[in-house]
Amino acid sequence: MLERHSADVVVVGAGPAGVAAACAAAEAGRRVLLLDEGVRPGGQIWRHAVRSGLPRPARRWLDRVDRSGATFTGGTTVVDGAPGRLLAERQGQPLEIRAAALVLATGARERFLPFRGWTLPGVVGVGGAQALVKGGLDVRGARIVVAGTGPLPLAVAAALRTAGARVSTVAEQAPARAVARFAAGLWRTPARALQAIRYRATLAGTRFRTGTWVAAAEGQDRVIGVRLTDGRRDWSEPCDWLCAAWGLIPATELAAVLGCATRDGAVVVDGALRTSVPGIWCAGESVGVAGVEAALVEGEMAGVAAGDGPPRAGLAGARQRHRGLARRMEAAFALRPELRSVAEDDVLACRCEDVPLGAARAAGSFREARLHTRLGMGACQGRVCGSALEFLLGWEPPAVRPPVLPARAGTLLAMTAQPRRDS
Amino acid sequence: MTTLEPGVRIEVDGVPHAVPAGATVAAALLNAGVSGFRRAVSGTLRAPLCGMGSCFECRVRIDGVPHRRACMEVVRDGMEVRTGA
């Protein structure tokens, strides 16, 4: 039996953008349903076991969405849909959700690039490490190396230190001059400058190396060390955990399946956060990675619009400011070309189907690689190898097909019973 | 960091463990010393990578249901987890 729900506004993703959108639409008097894969609202950045552990702005927003009248439904994975209608799965059961208006706030995920040893247990993402610690992972006394780019590695290193880990090195792939130029521009955003100073204080005793990246992870059954390089020489550092990722990329799969246009890996929206499909708005990282403040402002704008509420002053201007900072950040932390030659051909590119990079390269395109090697056909559906090969080989990312996340047979049956849009 | 007190009992591959209530299955397993969550096509052991539900490296069998993402599930008293599938 297919469980059915309906609402005036359905918001997919309960991170900052989704929470702000749900608040704004519910405060405009609409019936709002807020969906997330996680069991609690907050998304990845506000992931928590107990709300008291969160920073005050996060607690304020989560308390506000509680009071707003919006209904939060956690543990819910949206697997398919068409404008006005979503198919989801919760505890293995299919769910049909109808909505007059839809706000997509599916956020971002980390970009991973292959290197020798990257499949070893103990090699995790940068945000990934933080998510695991928020989920209760005990890192007290553990030796950790963090490698990546942008502000996230510093924030995570500080959080890991606070959680009791010994973070020996933070490796930033961008060159020192790019980091310095970006840091000098922080005076424009005092809150961020203050945050940077706080990280620096927490990170006394941790080396911060610019122009440095991972050459390989070392170990047999689990990571025991990392080989770092600055392009001229390389050296090994012992570690119990290696946190490595190369920035964030927008999660656009659901938007793409719903027919929304995407460009340069992000969902295309106009100045009012409307996607190319009438009745669907998109806000936050999925329209371009810009951080929590941008996500909150955009979520609020999208929620007001989707809920047909009275316009709120100051949001569009704030959005422009946050997006401007994001553009400067993107330029400063652009991935260096040397990262394209870190992995040898025998290193796995697709971790689901165990396809080596050389075999992928030989296939020439995603389409051919899928046909001949099963690359990108596994459980993650190309989420990991797709963005890696886009950077490494300049490949067009694979087209998204429903279900956007693996679903059970019963859910897939419910999906086939659903009238498909023309494609 | 919020320190979580052990409050839930789960079974990992038949061995009982006391784990903090509110923890994810992934964190609980890692704290219990489990290093390999699943076995890859080529036979090597894999463990959580992304920690947030997109890489599927942490999938385990939970209460008889295969392919559950350990990083997206919260421990429940009496939960039975099987690794290495």
Side-chain angles (χ1 to χ4, degrees):
Chain A
M1 184 59 206
L2 184 59
E3 194 181 322
R4 290 191 166 85
H5 294 269
S6 70
D8 300 323
V9 178
V10 170
V11 180
V12 184
V19 163
C23 285
E27 286 158 8
R30 302 291 166 252
R31 281 185 314 131
V32 176
L33 194 55
L34 174 61
L35 309 174
D36 198 276
E37 284 204 277
V39 289
R40 286 174 276 268
Q44 293 307 327
I45 190 159
W46 293 342
R47 193 173 175 136
H48 60 285
V50 281
R51 201 173 278 188
S52 59
L54 286 171
R56 197 177 312 140
R59 289 203 307 269
R60 263 205 307 268
W61 276 103
L62 294 175
D63 292 345
R64 182 168 161 190
V65 79
D66 285 349
R67 288 192 311 266
S68 72
T71 306
F72 172 72
T73 305
T76 305
T77 303
V78 177
V79 295
D80 194 13
R85 194 172 182 208
L86 296 175
L87 185 76
E89 190 174 280
R90 190 178 51 194
Q91 288 168 350
Q93 298 303 312
L95 221 68
E96 187 201 58
I97 300 152
R98 287 180 177 277
L102 197 55
V103 179
L104 306 177
T106 47
R109 61 171 168 269
E110 293 190 278
R111 186 203 318 266
F112 295 106
L113 297 176
F115 50 85
R116 187 166 303 283
W118 76 307
T119 56
L120 285 173
V123 177
V124 296
V126 175
Q130 187 163 34
L132 288 166
V133 168
K134 286 177 178 177
L137 174 66
D138 185 356
V139 291
R140 281 174 298 176
R143 293 167 307 172
I144 302 184
V145 171
V146 181
T149 195
L152 189 63
L154 284 173
V156 170
L160 291 170
R161 285 275 301 248
T162 306
R166 290 183 282 154
V167 182
S168 53
T169 300
V170 176
E172 163 61 60
Q173 60 88 35
R177 60 179 185 284
V179 176
R181 198 169 342 119
F182 175 74
L186 281 179
W187 59 267
R188 287 184 241 220
T189 44
R192 298 223 183 198
L194 188 67
Q195 205 175 40
I197 292 164
R198 283 205 195 110
Y199 291 154
R200 209 183 161 119
T202 315
L203 287 170
T206 295
R207 279 185 300 275
F208 179 64
R209 286 186 186 274
T210 52
T212 302
W213 60 95
V214 175
E218 298 166 333
Q220 288 297 321
D221 307 318
R222 150 159 211 106
V223 70
I224 56 166
V226 55
R227 209 164 80 241
L228 295 171
T229 180
D230 60 9
R232 292 179 301 278
R233 58 176 200 104
D234 55 341
W235 64 94
S236 290
E237 290 190 16
C239 62
D240 303 309
W241 295 93
L242 168 61
C243 313
W246 287 263
L248 299 171
I249 45 173
T252 60
E253 287 78 10
L254 180 60
V257 158
L258 293 171
C260 304
T262 61
R263 188 169 51 226
D264 299 331
V267 179
V268 176
V269 289
D270 65 10
L273 285 315
R274 281 184 295 236
T275 69
S276 63
V277 176
I280 304 182
W281 286 259
C282 189
E285 307 287 60
S286 30
V287 307
V289 171
V292 58
E293 290 89 354
L296 285 167
V297 167
E298 291 182 351
E300 199 171 346
M301 288 172 73
V304 166
D308 203 16
R312 296 181 183 178
L315 293 177
R319 174 172 190 240
Q320 289 313 318
R321 282 196 304 283
H322 296 309
R323 286 280 160 198
L325 179 71
R327 275 191 297 275
R328 290 205 302 282
M329 192 153 9
E330 204 182 322
F333 297 103
L335 296 188
R336 59 193 311 133
E338 292 98 318
L339 293 173
R340 293 200 174 88
S341 43
V342 164
E344 298 86 351
D345 273 357
D346 62 320
V347 171
L348 295 184
C350 168
R351 304 170 56 120
C352 294
E353 299 290 336
D354 287 5
V355 182
L357 179 58
R361 197 194 307 271
S365 70
F366 265 114
R367 200 188 122 76
E368 291 298 309
R370 270 182 159 165
L371 283 170
H372 299 298
T373 69
R374 289 197 51 80
L375 173 130
M377 307 272 283
C380 94
Q381 295 169 290
R383 281 177 169 77
V384 176
C385 66
S387 51
L389 294 174
E390 188 183 7
F391 173 73
L392 295 177
L393 305 178
W395 285 5
E396 191 79 13
V400 185
R401 278 178 231 152
V404 292
L405 284 161
R408 307 188 75 186
T411 309
L412 296 175
L413 278 173
M415 204 164 98
T416 55
Q418 182 176 354
R420 305 282 324 162
R421 69 204 164 273
D422 296 330
S423 55
Chain B
M1 187 184 76
T2 316
T3 311
L4 302 171
E5 297 300 323
V8 172
R9 294 192 72 79
I10 65 170
E11 231 174 61
V12 183
D13 298 325
V15 180
H17 287 276
V19 299
T24 61
V25 174
L29 262 57
L30 291 167
N31 289 347
V34 174
S35 186
F37 281 51
R38 73 171 187 105
R39 211 165 267 289
V41 179
S42 57
T44 59
L45 286 173
R46 298 287 172 78
L49 171 72
C50 80
M52 49 186 86
S54 67
C55 77
F56 289 78
E57 287 284 28
C58 67
R59 54 192 196 270
V60 291
R61 182 180 280 266
I62 297 178
D63 293 334
V65 185
H67 310 308
R68 303 304 298 171
R69 288 171 288 173
C71 70
M72 300 301 286
E73 303 255 347
V74 172
V75 292
R76 291 181 302 271
D77 213 23
M79 185 184 255
E80 287 178 23
V81 181
R82 292 254 162 213
T83 67

